[in-house]
Structure formats: C-alpha cells, structure tokens
C-alpha cells in the first residue's frame, strides 16, 4: 500500500519529502501578489501572531520592491522565512483572507513571504544592523525561535547577547522537529546564518545549562536572562512494554529523521500513538520513508484530535490510516516490539470509557509515541522564585514576558505549552522589549 | 440571425470589425490570415515614404497582474517597399474580393499624394485612409500628427486627395489636440467621405529606474511614443461621441478606434455613433483569434435586442450623453451593501472615509467586518460600489420618487439657483463633515 519507495539516497529522500510550499518563481510571485485586495485593517494581519503587515509586503512584491517586502516581514518576525514555510497558514493568515468568503482561493501568503525573505537571504544583503552598544549584556538559554528572535531584537537595541544551546545546531524545533516536507535543513540554517551575519549574536553550542551554579554564574555576568528552553523529551507513557526496543518518542524520531534523512530505516509496520500534529507528522513521515503500513491510533474520535484536519489529510494521503477510539494498554514483545495491544473506548456522559472485552493486538515493528512532550519543570526548579502554572508552564507577564523572578524572561513552548514557530518568534521579540523596559526602569 | 455586413461610406465589408493600420496589417500574409479568422476589413500599415526603424519599438503599461492595459510604440510607417505592398494588396483582393482592404497613406507633397492614391487604386484598394495621426517620428518630418494638429493644413491635404480619389476616403484624426471637433470639421470641409479616430496619444509609458531612459529603450534613450490599448478607450469613446453629435460633422461615417478588445467595447463604440471599428493592440496581444469573441458577442447582443443590422443601434446612446446642466438634480441613489455577499475587505469603508464622503461606518465588533452605509451622508457617488471586489455586492439604489425632474438649466431659467454659499438651495449644506481635528489619532476614541 505504500505509495513511497524507501529512500536510498539523499535525492530520494528529498523526492519523498517534496516541499509542500516550494519556493515561488518570479512569475508566480508577480501574479499572486497582484491578486491581493489590500484590505483595510486586514484580517490576515490580525491573524498573524507576529502582526506582519501582510498587505504592505505583498504590494511591495507586486510593485517590484522585493527587498522592501523582506524588510517589512523581518521588521515583525525574525523567522520570516521559516514561518512562511512552517506556519499553519491555513488557520492563520490565509485562513483569514477575505477571499475565502466568496470561495475564491486565498492569497498564498506563506509562499509570498518566503519568496521575499529568500531573495535577501540568498543575496546576503544586510537589511538590519546592530544598534549602538548600550553596554548591557543578556544571556539567552536555548537557540530556538524564541531565543534567537529575542537575540536579534536585543542586538538591534544595542545589547551584547550570548545564547547557550545544548544541541549542536540552532533554531530548535524548526530544525529538529518540523516535518521535512515543510522546510529543509538548509533553508532553516540559511536564515539563522543570515541573521547571525547581520546582527552578530553569539551562539554557544553543546552548552547545556542544567545546574544552579551555572545559572548563578550567568546571573552575575549578565544584566538579564531570557529562557527559551522549549519542552523536554516525549512524555513517558506508563504501560507495560514501553521500554522495549523500537518504541520511540515522536520528537526523538523526527530529530533523527531530520539529521540522518535517508539513513534512517523504518520497518514495514508502524503504529503511531497520539492525535496531535506531531502524531500526524510522524505518520506522514514514516509513510514517506516507505513503511508498508502506518496506523495512526488515537484514543478518542477523529473529530476530537488536537491536530489540524489538513495535517491528518496529509498523513492519510501519504498512506497512513487512522484508527480511532483505541487506547494502548500494552506493548507486546519480548526483546523488541512485536505489536500493541489496544482496548476500544467510547464516550459516555462526556467521559472516555473502555469497552470491556474489546482488547485486540495489532502487530508492528515500530511504535512511535506522539503523546506530548515532558515539561521542563525540574530545570525551572533551579531558579529561585520562578513560578509555574498548574500545567507546568512558566508564568509570565503577557506583554513583557517577565517571569515571577524579575531577572528572568521567558517565551515560546515553555510558556505556551507547545505551539508554533511563529509564537516563539513573537514571544522572543516582545521579551526583548520587556527586558529593555525593565532595565531602563532599574536605572532611572 | 442578425446581419453584420456594412456599407461604410461606400466601402462594403462582411462585418464592421476591421484591423487598424498597424503592425498586424504589415503584410498580405497577416491580412489574409486575419480575414480567414473572421475580420471584415483591414487598413494596411501606412504606405508613404522610405523610412528606417529603431530597435526596440514598443512599451507597455502593466497594471498589477495585467499586461498591456496600455501600450505605446515608436515604430514608423511601413518600412517595406511600396511596390511589395501594392502587389500584396492586389493579391489579397483576389482571394477576398468582398472584404474591405483600405490603404493607409502618409506622404508630403500634393504630387506625392496624387501618385500614391493612383497606385493604391490601381492595386484594388477599396478605400483610402489618410494618416494624420502618428505622434512620433513622422511628425518631426512634417507628417502624421503635425498635420492632424493643424486643421487648416489638414483641410488642404484632404482637398488635394479628394481632387483625384475615386474610392472612399477616410481621414484619420490625431487625439493630441484640445478639441477633436476642430480637425474633424476641417476634414469634413475638405470633403472627406468618412473619419476614423483615434490615432495614438503622445506618451511616455515609463522610465527605466537604472539608466533613466524612457521605455521603449533605444540604447539608453527613448522618445515619446503613441499610446493606445484598453487604457485609452474612455478618451477615444468621448471623442467619437463629440464628432457624432456635432451638428456639422454628424452624418459623416465614423470608424471608431481605441482600446477595443471585446464585443462590449465594439457595441459601445457603435452606440456612440461609430459604424465600423478598428482594432490593433488586442490583436498584438492575443492574435487574430479574438475576433471570434467579438463577433459572437455582437451577434448575441443584436439578437437579444432584436436588431437586424448594426444601423439599428448605431448612435443609439448619443441622446443620453447630455451636458451636465441637463441632468436631473432630483435623481438620488444611495449605496446598499449585501451582507450575505460582503467578504469584509472594508475597501468601501476606507475609500469612502479617505477618498469621498465619510458615509460608511464600521461595526466596531471584530467579529463583524461588514461595513454599514450612513444614509444621511451618502451622496450616491458610486465609489464604494466601484471598489467592491465582489460581484453585485454593493448596489446603488434609487431613493427619489422618480416623478419631478429638475435640471440646472431649468433652475437657471426659473431663477432658482443658490447665489451665496449659505443659501438654503446651495449644495453640500446638509452634508456632515467631521471636524478637521478628529482626523488625528489622539482625538479618536
């Protein structure tokens, strides 16, 4: 049933993971940008978490000022290029396009955005410069979208910025956690390199901050700290057999896939556990890696899945099959996975209940748990006075992104519980201004 | 089915859809192809004196996604040998004896005019068109628009032509003049059989922002070109109308030219008094095949309205083109927005707010982007309905009782006109205009 052959080379891999939003050529961009109505108080802008002036940048493309368009985009969002590709535009800007109300195809905003930003990233032309040094230093923990956005914004304000990143490459889940058909590694890294070259922040790779001593040292060397640490590994699923070989977390699977590409071998039969977007991605990806059978198993109904319906459709079109109202109760196998035992579920009086005696076993050679990421609560315990909410999310001021310990600011997944690149980009930028306002108020 | 055939000042053709004298009529090959495609006539690319052309030659005005909404050229008259052109005229007439082949001419002296007319008639041309229009190149040599802009000179040359011509003569006018009726009248006084208009408008379509040369770029420089295409249609339509309703000109057949691409354009020209049309830019854009759409549309229109020939409706709109003073001041329309169709772009709001009469409001509720009309402020200007991107979403609904009509001319006659700005009869008095300071963001709630 697999539509995809197992990729034997990097070329095969890129073919199986063909970009969903390929780079527009000049003609496409000209014609598509010409369709924009230039709405007043445009709903696409309101729908964008970073508030990019979309009608403006589209008119700039249309009038032959692509560089100006790129500037308009980066002015609001330092991840402008990546967001054009990885944002769920169907439910954000493009979903808000007024054309939808007359069943006219909405403007292809994401691809226009990438087109504009790609033009300056490819040419290397610098649009932004660091601000005059103000003598202040900020440490940022985590080089994901929030951390890098915060760094970029702080650089324009004249801060010296050091980012401490535990991995060996930047941009967090944009690189390590995004489905490969949304954006390539090269594209992700090119944008970061462009920003680094323009603004000159320092990223210290393989530099995990995990002790109280390290944090205290940062506190004594810097004027403020921004936490863009994201979430932890895939949360533990407490069922028998979960520690068998070939039971993997979705986050870990995607990371390995993105780094090793065609060198990853996916067995014939795969079961993905979960109903969120990461589960959809994992199902799509294993199908594209040539698995013969991919079952996306979710404990509730199809309608109750947390993932976007278009992501589910994409997984199905790649060859995955949905299996709903099934709860895994045991991973079957002696040394490595041989199958998953499920019990059927049903909704009764608003509660999910098991259907007794409905247990069954589905055979497989790989189980991917897409059952959510663990929170970084143990890390946050290292910081005095930093409070978390009941869902272990860092509590921040909604405008300044200052935590309950005023020296620390935070944004991205650790604050919102896990959202999009664009949300991290917004938080980081806003936090930079929060830091600036707080430090100014300290001095006055 | 309706009959499209025409007799235009003695020139017979199977239909009124002709090709204008231009690059598409540069050769017998092109014209035969056009006739086979369905065009009823063709005005040959202007014959005259030997010329040399430049490269490049054409420039375009693009508007957003649309190419060539306006088009200009700095190409001169035919640069092919006269003998070749004459031979091909003869050949085309052999294949298409019932189609109209008209020779466009541009020479200088009386003797040259007399000679070339004789040559063209001998070749079998059904008519002659005098090119007094080209606003580039040839005018610098005392021809083209240099003639069209001097009614006295124009009249003299028409007289020379009429001394010898035995086939119908069409005088083609330049629009680069304050009053089109001046050369129009001169051509009639000179004895022309018919008039065609418009030739192209003096223009610069744009400047190259790297080398500062106008388009079309000839080695870092350019020249004013002749502008045509869809963008000029409204101006040309009015010029046709001015001639068709002029007391001393009306009755002279008019061939309408300027931005024609669809059947609708053709019908509009006919309704304003043209009885044949000439097309160039849209053929240069899409090829001869566009005549299929034109013919089908005109026939459909004639069948729908019950017209047997085009003469049943030529000039039919002329009585409705009045002077402003004769318009009904009691007529009142107000905009209505169809909430079902509205997509919430709010273009009508901002157009009215910034560009017109502040007669459209917003709900203030982020969940409701449908603007509303403030009836008391709406002057019925149409702007909102013009900017609305949705078909038939904003309509202009009539609000007067349709009975008592009164015009400015009648009010003048009745001595019923405002004499001071505070006169209760003055316009605009009841219209709400916000205080200037309310424009500033800090003064808005």
């Amino acid at each position: 049933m697999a539509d995809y052959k197992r990729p034997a080379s990097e070329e095969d891999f890129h073919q199986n993971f063909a970009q969903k939003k390929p780079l527009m050529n000049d003609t496409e961009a000209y014609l598509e940008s010409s369709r924009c109505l230039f709405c007043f108080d445009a709903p696409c802008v309101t729908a964008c978490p970073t508030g990019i002036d979309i009608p403006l940048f589209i008119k700039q493309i249309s009038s032959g000022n692509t560089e100006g368009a790129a500037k308009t985009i980066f002015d609001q969002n330092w991840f402008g290029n990546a967001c054009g590709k990885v944002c769920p535009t169907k439910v954000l800007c493009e979903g808000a396009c007024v054309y939808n109300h007359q069943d006219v195809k909405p403007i292809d905003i994401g691809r226009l955005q990438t087109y504009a930003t790609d033009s300056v990233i490819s040419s290397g032309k610098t649009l932004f410069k660091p601000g005059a040094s103000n003598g202040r230093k900020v440490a940022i923990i985590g080089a994901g979208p929030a951390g890098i956005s915060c760094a970029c914004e702080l650089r324009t304000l004249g801060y010296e910025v050091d980012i401490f990143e535990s991995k060996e490459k930047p941009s967090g889940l944009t690189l390590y956690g995004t489905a490969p058909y949304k954006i390539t590694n090269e594209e992700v890294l090119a944008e970061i390199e462009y920003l680094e070259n323009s603004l000159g922040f320092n990223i210290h790779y393989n530099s995990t901050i995990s002790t109280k001593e390290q944090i205290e040292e940062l506190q004594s060397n810097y004027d403020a700290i921004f936490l863009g640490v994201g979430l932890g590994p895939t949360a533990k699923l407490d069922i028998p057999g979960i520690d068998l070989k070939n039971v993997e977390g979705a986050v870990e699977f995607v990371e390995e896939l993105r780094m090793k590409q065609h060198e990853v071998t996916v067995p014939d039969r795969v079961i993905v556990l979960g109903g969120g977007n990461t589960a959809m991605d994992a199902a799509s990806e294993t199908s594209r890696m040539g698995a013969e059978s991919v079952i996306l198993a979710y404990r509730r109904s199809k309608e109750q899945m947390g993932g976007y319906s278009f992501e589910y459709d994409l997984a199905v079109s790649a060859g995955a099959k949905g299996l709903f109202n099934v709860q895994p109760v045991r991973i079957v196998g002696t040394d490595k996975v041989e199958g998953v035992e499920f019990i059927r579920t049903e909704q009764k009086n608003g509660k999910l209940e098991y259907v007794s005696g409905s247990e069954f076993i589905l055979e497989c050679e790989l189980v991917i748990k897409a059952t959510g990421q663990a929170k970084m609560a143990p890390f946050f315990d290292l910081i005095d006075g930093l409070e978390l909410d009941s869902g272990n999310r860092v509590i921040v001021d909604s405008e300044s992104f200052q935590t309950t310990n005023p020296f620390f600011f935070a944004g991205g997944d650790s604050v919102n519980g896990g959202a999009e690149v664009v949300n991290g980009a917004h938080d980081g930028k806003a936090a930079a201004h929060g830091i600036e306002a707080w430090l100014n108020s300290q001095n006055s | 089915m309706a009959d499209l055939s025409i007799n235009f000042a003695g020139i017979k053709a199977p239909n009124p859809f002709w090709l204008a004298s231009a690059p598409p009529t540069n050769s017998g090959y092109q014209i035969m192809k056009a006739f086979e495609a369905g065009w009823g006539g063709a005005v040959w690319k202007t014959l005259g004196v030997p010329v040399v052309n430049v490269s490049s030659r054409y420039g375009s005005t693009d508007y957003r996604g649309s190419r060539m909404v306006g088009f200009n050229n700095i190409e001169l008259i035919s640069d092919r040998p006269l003998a070749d052109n004459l031979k091909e005229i003869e050949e085309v007439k052999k294949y298409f004896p019932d189609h109209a082949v008209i020779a466009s001419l541009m020479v200088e002296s009386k003797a040259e005019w007399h000679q070339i007319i004789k040559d063209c008639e001998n070749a079998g041309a059904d008519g002659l068109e005098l090119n007094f229009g080209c606003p580039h190149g040839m005018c610098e040599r005392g021809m083209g628009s240099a003639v069209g802009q001097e009614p006295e000179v124009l009249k003299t040359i028409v007289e020379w032509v009429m001394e010898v011509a035995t086939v119908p003569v069409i005088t083609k006018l330049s629009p680069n003049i304050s009053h089109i009726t001046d050369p129009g009248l001169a051509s009639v006084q000179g004895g022309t059989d018919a008039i065609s208009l418009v030739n192209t408008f003096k223009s610069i379509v744009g400047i190259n922002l790297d080398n500062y040369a106008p388009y079309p770029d000839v080695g870092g420089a350019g020249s004013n070109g002749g502008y045509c295409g869809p963008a000029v249609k409204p101006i040309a339509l009015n010029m046709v109308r001015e001639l068709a309703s002029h007391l001393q000109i009306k009755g002279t057949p008019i061939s309408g030219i300027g931005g024609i691409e669809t059947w609708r354009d053709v019908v509009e020209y006919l309704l304003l008094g043209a009885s044949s049309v000439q097309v160039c830019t849209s053929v240069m854009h899409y090829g001869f095949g566009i005549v299929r759409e034109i013919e089908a549309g005109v026939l459909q229109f004639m069948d729908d309205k019950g017209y047997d020939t085009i003469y049943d409706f030529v000039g039919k709109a002329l009585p409705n083109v009045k002077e402003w003073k004769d318009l009904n001041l009691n007529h009142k329309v107000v905009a209505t927005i169809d909430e079902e169709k509205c997509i919430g772009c709010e273009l009508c709001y901002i157009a009215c707010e910034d560009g017109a009469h502040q007669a459209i409001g917003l709900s203030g509720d982020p969940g409701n982007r449908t603007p509303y009309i403030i009836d008391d402020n709406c002057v019925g200007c149409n702007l909102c309905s013009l900017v609305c991107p949705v078909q038939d979403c904003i309509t202009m609904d009539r609000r007067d009782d349709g009975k008592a009509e009164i015009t400015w001319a009648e009010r003048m006659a009745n001595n019923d006109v405002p004499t001071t700005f505070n006169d209760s009869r003055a316009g605009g008095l009841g219209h709400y205009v916000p205080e200037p300071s309310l424009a500033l963001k800090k003064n808005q709630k």
Side-chain angles (χ1 to χ4, degrees), chain B residues 394-413:
Chain B
I394 300 185
T395 48
M396 303 303 296
D397 296 339
R398 190 145 179 198
R399 295 290 175 86
D400 64 292
D401 60 12
K403 287 177 189 159
E405 289 199 10
I406 185 81
T407 68
W408 178 258
E410 287 164 348
R411 283 179 61 168
M412 285 287 280

Side-chain angles (χ1 to χ4, degrees), chain B residues 20-276:
Chain B
S21 173
T25 60
N26 190 47
S27 65
Y29 169 82
Q30 288 164 292
I31 291 173
M32 300 250 276
K33 202 173 167 190
F35 285 171
E36 197 168 75
W39 296 89
V43 185
W44 212 276
K45 180 148 168 111
T46 303
L47 312 175
V49 293
V51 296
V52 177
N53 268 305
V54 292
S55 167
S56 58
R57 302 180 193 180
Y58 308 143
S60 168
T61 296
D62 301 339
Y63 182 71
R64 298 177 58 177
S66 297
R67 302 281 183 188
M68 279 170 57
V69 295
F71 181 73
N72 90 347
N73 81 91
I74 55 170
E75 186 170 294
L76 303 184
I77 63 175
S78 177
D79 53 12
R80 304 178 61 216
L82 179 63
D84 291 3
N85 281 310
L86 294 172
K87 198 177 93 207
E88 289 177 16
I89 288 175
E90 214 174 323
E91 195 176 344
V92 171
K93 279 310 293 182
K94 262 185 221 149
Y95 281 95
F96 294 94
D98 300 328
H99 282 59
V101 175
I102 294 144
S104 170
L105 307 175
M106 183 197 290
V107 287
E108 267 189 290
S109 70
K110 185 173 177 176
E112 285 173 313
W113 278 105
H114 283 183
Q115 182 59 49
I116 203 165
I117 289 167
K118 199 176 292 172
D119 291 342
C120 291
E121 289 183 352
N122 287 339
D126 300 301
L128 308 171
E129 185 178 82
L130 316 183
N131 180 347
F132 296 148
C134 282
H136 51 85
M138 301 310 290
C139 52
E140 296 169 19
R141 290 163 63 173
M143 292 175 273
S145 63
V147 175
Q149 288 168 329
E150 295 293 339
E152 279 305 312
V153 179
L154 181 150
K155 184 181 158 197
T156 303
I157 296 178
V158 173
E159 285 168 350
W160 294 347
V161 168
M162 299 317 292
E163 284 170 14
V164 296
T166 61
V167 296
V169 172
I170 307 166
T171 303
K172 186 170 182 177
L173 302 183
S174 168
N176 297 298
I177 190 159
S178 298
H179 300 288
I180 195 66
T181 46
D182 293 348
L185 189 57
S187 70
V188 170
Q189 288 167 344
T192 193
D193 297 305
I195 295 171
S196 59
L197 77 165
V198 294
N199 206 306
T200 54
F201 294 79
K202 252 188 179 184
S203 60
I204 290 175
V205 290
I207 299 288
N208 180 323
L209 299 188
D210 293 318
N211 71 358
Y212 308 115
Y215 296 113
D217 184 335
V218 183
S223 186
N224 61 271
Y227 194 53
C228 54
V232 310
K233 190 186 90 172
I235 311 170
L237 271 180
N238 184 55
M239 288 183 166
V240 166
R241 188 277 305 180
E242 284 190 47
L243 297 183
S245 53
H246 188 278
L247 284 177
Q248 290 151 280
I249 302 172
K250 69 178 179 186
T252 305
I254 297 172
S255 191
I257 311 168
I260 294 169
E261 179 178 314
T262 70
W263 70 274
R264 198 174 282 275
D265 302 325
V266 171
V267 170
E268 287 169 344
Y269 271 94
L270 299 184
L271 289 171
L272 286 172
S275 50
S276 81

Side-chain angles (χ1 to χ4, degrees), chain A residues 88-107:
Chain A
T89 51
K90 279 186 186 170
V91 295
L92 295 175
C93 51
E94 291 167 20
C97 178
V98 297
Y99 272 137
N100 290 301
H101 298 300
Q102 280 286 336
D103 299 329
V104 175
K105 187 178 166 292
I107 303 292

Side-chain angles (χ1 to χ4, degrees), chain A residues 30-31 33-43 46 59 62 98-99 101-102, chain B residues 62-67 340-347 349-350 362 369 389-390:
Chain A
Y30 170 66
L31 291 177
S33 62
S34 299
R35 294 203 304 128
C36 177
L37 292 171
F38 205 72
C39 293
F40 176 73
D41 187 20
T46 313
K59 201 163 186 74
S62 161
V98 297
Y99 272 137
H101 298 300
Q102 280 286 336
Chain B
D62 301 339
Y63 182 71
R64 298 177 58 177
S66 297
R67 302 281 183 188
E340 294 297 310
K341 290 181 179 162
C342 177
I343 59 176
C345 69
E346 297 182 359
L347 286 176
Y349 162 76
I350 200 62
L362 297 176
R369 288 184 56 94
V390 179

Side-chain angles (χ1 to χ4, degrees), chain A residues 200-271:
Chain A
F201 43 84
N202 311 306
I203 309 184
H204 307 277
Y205 295 107
N206 304 311
S207 304
T208 308
I209 305 293
S210 55
T211 66
K212 200 169 174 82
E213 292 69 38
Q214 284 175 309
I215 290 174
E216 282 168 357
E217 196 187 332
L218 292 179
Q219 275 186 274
S220 59
N221 290 336
Y222 293 88
D223 296 293
I225 295 176
F226 176 79
L227 306 170
V229 296
L231 300 172
T234 302
K236 180 101 176 132
L237 186 62
D238 202 10
I239 56 173
I242 200 73
D243 294 323
L244 285 173
K245 266 176 75 180
N246 288 356
V247 179
E248 289 188 40
V251 178
E252 293 75 12
F253 172 78
V254 176
E255 179 172 333
E256 193 190 3
L257 183 69
R258 288 207 63 117
M259 293 304 113
K260 296 190 180 159
Q261 303 195 339
H262 63 281
E263 289 161 18
V264 172
T265 305
V266 170
D268 285 344
R269 293 176 297 181
V270 180
I271 293 175

Side-chain angles (χ1 to χ4, degrees), chain A residues 28-249:
Chain A
E28 278 181 288
Y30 170 66
L31 291 177
E32 187 63 8
S33 62
S34 299
R35 294 203 304 128
C36 177
L37 292 171
F38 205 72
C39 293
F40 176 73
D41 187 20
C44 53
V45 181
T46 313
C48 174
T50 58
I52 294 173
D53 192 337
I54 294 164
L56 175 62
F57 91 68
I58 293 179
K59 201 163 186 74
Q60 288 174 306
I61 293 174
S62 161
S63 67
N65 183 10
T66 310
E67 189 180 309
K71 181 151 194 317
T72 300
I73 294 160
F74 283 129
D75 267 338
Q76 292 296 117
N77 181 343
W78 294 110
F79 275 62
N81 190 265
C83 282
K85 299 205 77 175
V86 307
C87 259
T89 51
K90 279 186 186 170
V91 295
L92 295 175
C93 51
E94 291 167 20
C97 178
V98 297
Y99 272 137
N100 290 301
H101 298 300
Q102 280 286 336
D103 299 329
V104 175
K105 187 178 166 292
I107 303 292
D108 211 341
I109 299 169
R111 289 180 67 212
L112 284 169
Q113 183 170 314
T114 304
Y115 169 82
T117 47
D118 179 80
S119 76
V120 294
I121 292 172
S122 312
S123 74
K125 179 154 184 184
T126 303
L127 300 181
F128 297 90
K129 286 187 300 195
S133 173
N134 62 12
R136 291 173 180 158
K137 289 167 71 181
V138 172
I140 293 177
I141 303 178
I148 287 181
S149 297
C150 186
C152 289
E153 196 72 9
L154 286 170
R155 288 296 295 144
T156 64
L157 296 170
Y159 287 76
E160 198 176 307
V161 179
D162 285 300
I163 309 180
F164 299 91
E165 167 58 48
S166 60
K167 294 198 187 294
E168 60 184 57
K169 290 197 169 93
S171 91
L173 288 183
T174 323
L175 181 70
Y176 291 106
T178 309
Y181 44 78
K182 290 184 182 163
I183 192 165
T184 66
N185 294 350
E186 292 73 21
E187 288 166 329
V188 175
L189 296 174
E191 182 166 42
I192 305 302
E193 191 187 342
Y194 174 73
L195 295 172
E196 259 184 300
N197 289 343
S198 300
L199 293 166
F201 43 84
N202 311 306
I203 309 184
H204 307 277
Y205 295 107
N206 304 311
S207 304
T208 308
I209 305 293
S210 55
T211 66
K212 200 169 174 82
E213 292 69 38
Q214 284 175 309
I215 290 174
E216 282 168 357
E217 196 187 332
L218 292 179
Q219 275 186 274
S220 59
N221 290 336
Y222 293 88
D223 296 293
I225 295 176
F226 176 79
L227 306 170
V229 296
L231 300 172
T234 302
K236 180 101 176 132
L237 186 62
D238 202 10
I239 56 173
I242 200 73
D243 294 323
L244 285 173
K245 266 176 75 180
N246 288 356
V247 179
E248 289 188 40

